Amino acid sequence: NRPAMDQVEPGSVFKPFVAAAAVEEGLVTPETLIDCELGRMAIGSDVIKDDHPKGVIPVHEVIKFSSNIGAAKLAMHYLGAEKTIAYLKAFGFGRPTGLGLPGEWRGTLRKPENIRPIELATTAFGQGVTASPIQLAAAVAAIGNGGVRMHPRLVEAILDRNGQVELAREPREDVRVVSEETARQTALMMASVTDEGGTGTRARVRGYRVAGKTGTAQKVKNGVYSAERISAFVGFLPADRPEVAIVVAVDSPTVGSKYGGIVAAPVFAEVGAFTMRYLGIAPDPVVPPADGADKAVASVSAVVAPAAPVEVRADGQGHWLLPDLTGQTLRGALASIEAAGLEIEVEGSGRLVAQSPAAGSPLAPGSAIKLSFN
């Protein structure tokens, strides 16, 4: 169960949690200026570097441009060790998630009473600590959930053979980590990551604002840092009305770039786009198209009760037979043809009134279809 058992250094995806802590404590605002020292800062005999060197920039640009130095200064010069570690624990790091799965690790956080300055600095940008993908998902969801961390659940309910609820898993609040206002400000800072010039532009989803953070962490092998990387993107969408939190972690990418914004962000965009269509979440008409993101053109204004479900069938010759989707909602239509792996273009909202190709047409996996709703 890798999302629960894998422990990796999270890297720069940690930075929004440190920024949120500093904002919550009233020590900074998103506009507070931080001197990032043109990408190079000495701490004793150690040197911290930035991949995107900057001078004096506001806190929100520390997140947008992923400055290690800016994050380190938030922890060292503003929060201090006690508050930095306390907030990270409140977000769920260094403690069990609450899922109760066998073999689950709590991850590692240094103790504030004996942490060295360089260790506090690196903790702020996710080095020298470990976390699981589930811990990251629960933490980023807390930002999207108005600052409240929930206990993660794997299932909503257990049903008996007759479809009756045998055991319900109700949502359970863990702890309020930050205020709603701090969570809102942090979400805006994370949304800037996908703006032009940010490190996560490839995570954009057509029609939806994405709030997220890139991360690229070195892998530790035999007690030392290796040349291998964990490339990650964590975030939620829609940024202003969150519905879904997603964590993408790519272990040791071997082709092309190793940066999370190049490797993991496109996966986030693809998963996010499909999920928005599947759940029938209406897009924001003012969000511009995103190059290379979601290929579907969706304009959905309402989600209504689905018609009786239909199912795409194979013809035994490597093709799918397109069913008659007339009367289906967007969610119902997508659920019906999900398994076929088709490229889908969507127009309008309401119930389906036209489809092309026509019902019964044999289609190869990856073929394009057009669905019109009214």
Side-chain angles (χ1 to χ4, degrees), residues 99-308:
L99 280 174
L101 294 174
E104 183 182 1
W105 291 83
R106 66 176 60 207
T108 56
L109 277 178
R110 290 186 174 92
K111 295 182 179 179
E113 58 267 25
N114 55 20
I115 194 170
R116 297 185 297 131
I118 185 60
E119 293 170 340
L120 177 57
T122 58
T123 294
F125 52 85
Q127 274 193 359
V129 297
T130 61
S132 70
I134 286 180
Q135 285 176 320
L136 289 169
V140 76
I143 298 295
N145 194 41
V148 176
R149 183 187 182 275
M150 305 295 290
H151 287 287
R153 296 177 296 163
L154 286 180
V155 296
E156 193 171 42
I158 299 173
L159 309 181
D160 63 20
R161 65 180 61 189
N162 299 314
Q164 300 301 309
V165 175
E166 197 170 77
L167 178 64
R169 299 287 190 186
E170 297 296 332
R172 290 191 303 125
E173 182 177 318
D174 177 24
V175 62
R176 172 169 287 284
V177 188
V178 296
S179 67
E180 287 190 25
E181 179 57 20
T182 294
R184 185 189 69 82
Q185 292 184 44
T186 306
L188 289 174
M189 289 192 279
M190 294 172 68
S192 74
V193 171
T194 61
D195 288 340
E196 199 63 39
T199 59
T201 55
R202 298 191 180 200
R204 293 175 180 171
V205 175
R206 182 189 294 268
Y208 303 88
R209 193 92 160 97
V210 169
K213 185 69 191 75
T214 55
T216 309
Q218 289 176 277
K219 286 187 67 175
V220 175
K221 286 192 170 184
N222 300 319
V224 297
Y225 286 110
S226 69
E228 295 185 18
R229 299 289 190 273
I230 299 290
S231 305
F233 190 93
V234 307
F236 51 84
L237 73 163
D240 59 341
R241 45 194 172 97
E243 294 283 349
V244 178
I246 301 170
V247 171
V248 178
V250 182
D251 190 345
S252 304
T254 57
V255 179
S257 173
K258 297 179 180 179
Y259 287 106
I262 306 297
V263 177
V267 182
F268 181 98
E270 186 171 343
V271 173
F274 172 83
T275 304
M276 292 297 97
R277 294 196 301 268
Y278 179 79
L279 295 178
I281 306 302
D284 185 343
V286 304
V287 176
D291 294 338
D294 181 17
K295 295 180 180 179
V297 180
S299 176
V300 187
S301 60
V303 178
V304 294

Side-chain angles (χ1 to χ4, degrees), residues 32-53:
T32 300
L33 297 178
I34 305 290
D35 186 359
C36 295
E37 304 192 19
L38 297 177
R40 187 180 179 89
M41 181 178 75
I43 301 177
S45 60
D46 298 291
V47 176
I48 293 177
K49 299 178 182 178
D50 280 339
D51 289 322
H52 310 281

Side-chain angles (χ1 to χ4, degrees), residues 21 23 61 125 154-155 206 292 317 319 323-324 336 351-352 370 374:
V23 171
E61 290 191 357
F125 52 85
L154 286 180
V155 296
R206 182 189 294 268
Q317 301 179 1
H319 294 85
D324 185 355
S336 298
R351 295 186 180 272
L352 191 134
K370 182 176 181 179
N374 198 349

